[in-house]
Amino acid sequence: MSSNIDHLLTETRRFAPEPAFAADAVGTADLYARAAEDRLGFWGDQARELLHWHTPFTEVLDWSNPPFASWYGDGELNVAYNCLDRHVEAGDGDRVALLWEGENGDERRVTYAELTDEVKRVATVLEGLGIGAGDRVAIYLPMIPEAVASMLAVARIGAIHSVVFGGFSADSLRARIDDAGAKLVITADGGYRKGKVSALKPAVDQALADRNGSGVQESVEHVLVVRRGGNEVEWTEGRDLWWHEAVAAASADHEAQPFPSENPLFILYTSGTTGKPKGILHTSGGYLTQAAFTNRVVHDVHPETDVYWCTADIGWVTGHTYVTYGPLANGATQVLYEGTPDTPHPGRWWEIIQKYGVSIFYTAPTAIRSFMKIGRDVPGGFDLSSLRLLGSVGEPINPEAWMWYRGVIGHDSTPIIDTWWQTETGAIMISALPGVTETKPGSAQVPIPGISIDVVDDAGEPVGEGNGGLLVVTEPWPSMLRGIWGDPERYVETYWEKFAAQGYYFAGDGARLDDDGDVWLLGRVDDVMNVSGHRLSTAEIESALVAHEATAEAAVVGASDETTGQAVAAFVIIKQSYLKAHSPEGLAQTLRQWVGEQIGPIARPRDVYIVEELPKTRSGKIMRRLLRDVAEGREVGDTTTLADTAVMSVISAQVR
Ligand code: WTA
């Protein structure tokens, strides 16, 4: 790791903004000056300039009860009105909001007027089903226009959505439904993935089945089902409704009511250091302000002329902020694509960019690295000249991938923005401004205007330029999480306790400042892995593994992987009793499969090593550092604190 850091810090390539780009850029240098002069005044201006407030706010931030923040607390707004109606009222109803491309080649163009009409009808349906302000609605959908419409319809009536990634299993869905106490699930029969219909409705049926005796009171009253895949589905009369029937029959007369700025907007579950995912809670006014602001100044969105495409699924925070809320609040035109990048051919993404004339493209380093592997000939076969800005999110982008991205996709001229943020931060926190900042391959660089960050040591002291430490946010920000659903103590403990004396937010990432004061992100400092830009917890996968009848004990580590950044490596001890009755043949494969079924295919370990022992300290703590050495094929590090120092040579031998 340290040689890797040294390598990164000797990166000397620099790319200044092209004058033509800078001349027309939304984000300008004076934003930094304005924010530095009066930070809260700056955020007050942004909220007023970018959003419509039914009731204007008089106070920007109330931080009298930290870490519980209130932004624009006495203001009132309607999030969906801001993303839809006001654009129609301003005469932009005919502008295309969504350029939808199904994986199977289906196409739909949805204008702002059409999307507004649809969302109003869905809002009417939801109210008819008894959903009101504060109620929770789970959304489990493929990337189709109805996914965006569902989120906005829930927001429109002041309810709270919890989007669950369509790749998660029935068990993961059930856990999220139960934790939030969702009254409604919006799903589809299925969606297209890798060339065929992948069913979704059965997972919902399974998640809601068999509650008798589980001790959990069923909260779900209805399931609203979009027809997309055309696959056969089972139907529970009285509970299930077809979207196309209910929405067509509903009135489009639906006036958006104002809600308080701090009205909850959504819960999004993310992996923490324990086995139980955390329901990260976001609210309305502050979240939408920073979503709209960053999408304007970082993605440089010019709504009248740009075609924007963020490839994230709405199941992740990037899909919330930079598919649904930011671009629609700004009135942008965007591509929405249902499927996988390589179906039916490896150039599908580049074909979509060519077809729609995409000008702003935002994706993850893992995707870029897998395209690098395939080679430049594939993108070389398409006209990518419409692209004028490229963005990256989700994990550190290594300088090689950065250079390839700029050279091969960005025809050696587009700026690249490497954006650091988290589910918890709600919106981009660290990034270059494309018309202002001279960029450096591999560094996320500088906090955006109005955001205060630092890199500190364990005691909270700034490490200063040229040194590494822990990334903190030193002042509250508009789109900050407001808590963990149902668990205020865990919120305080996880993010605010470590630097309570200073009042800093602890991000859980390691970082280093170079001699210019630019930030280089170094990955998580806790037991959270980052696989293809998705957060996974070692504890969650360990508990899935031990839930299998064969497993006595399991330890999971994130091992570095050329394409996915990190990969899941599991070390498993098998029960003697199981081995008496079963052959160990194929067991590693069975366990990989099992984890995929328990959590979802993204959590499936790359490697499962069957071992006889795990390295533990005298107090019984598993030393993951040593297992990582094994999984990455390195010589095993210092073993002196192990209870049994011989155990690592046994494990290494078994793995080999
Ligand atoms: C990592 C995704 C380096 C980081 C928006 C963070 C990054 C976690 C970057 C959040 C980046 C995200 N450079 N690391 N540009 N962006 N990360 O909640 O470790 O899915 O803590 O949010 O991803 O992941 P999450």
Side-chain angles (χ1 to χ4, degrees), residues 167-169 172 544 590-605:
F168 276 128
S169 67
S172 298
T590 305
L591 290 172
R592 289 184 67 236
Q593 208 57 39
W594 168 260
V595 174
E597 284 157 22
Q598 295 289 301
I599 302 175
I602 49 162
R604 203 156 46 206

Side-chain angles (χ1 to χ4, degrees), residues 11 130 174 190 344 357 423 477 484 533:
E11 175 61 56
R174 183 203 318 250
T423 304
W477 63 102
I484 294 176

Side-chain angles (χ1 to χ4, degrees), residues 487-539:
D487 202 345
E489 275 158 39
R490 192 174 174 195
Y491 166 64
V492 176
E493 208 177 274
T494 310
Y495 304 107
W496 301 94
E497 219 156 73
K498 188 164 176 68
F499 298 115
Q502 297 82 359
Y504 294 166
Y505 167 85
F506 171 56
D509 276 29
R512 197 165 160 132
L513 294 174
D514 68 15
D515 292 337
D516 303 325
D518 283 328
V519 182
W520 296 75
L521 275 312
L522 303 174
R524 302 287 307 186
V525 295
D526 53 16
D527 290 331
V528 175
M529 296 170 288
N530 190 326
V531 179
S532 298
H534 298 142
R535 272 163 73 169
L536 294 171
S537 123
T538 53

Side-chain angles (χ1 to χ4, degrees), residues 83 87-88 92-93 95-97 110-116 327-328 331-332:
C83 294
H87 304 313
V88 179
D92 294 326
R95 185 184 298 160
V96 174
V110 186
T111 65
Y112 272 93
E114 289 164 346
L115 190 58
T116 304
L328 295 180

Side-chain angles (χ1 to χ4, degrees), residues 104 188-192 197-199 226-233 242:
N104 63 342
D189 49 0
Y192 283 85
V197 172
S198 158
V226 179
R227 190 148 72 196
R228 163 59 189 148
N231 46 314
E232 284 283 323
V233 289
W242 281 114

Side-chain angles (χ1 to χ4, degrees), residues 104-140:
N104 63 342
D106 287 352
E107 283 173 34
R108 274 162 68 187
R109 279 169 196 253
V110 186
T111 65
Y112 272 93
E114 289 164 346
L115 190 58
T116 304
D117 181 87
E118 172 97 346
V119 168
K120 286 179 172 181
R121 287 174 197 275
V122 181
T124 306
V125 171
L126 299 187
E127 284 175 341
L129 294 175
I131 309 292
D135 286 336
R136 278 79 62 204
V137 175
I139 297 176
Y140 187 65

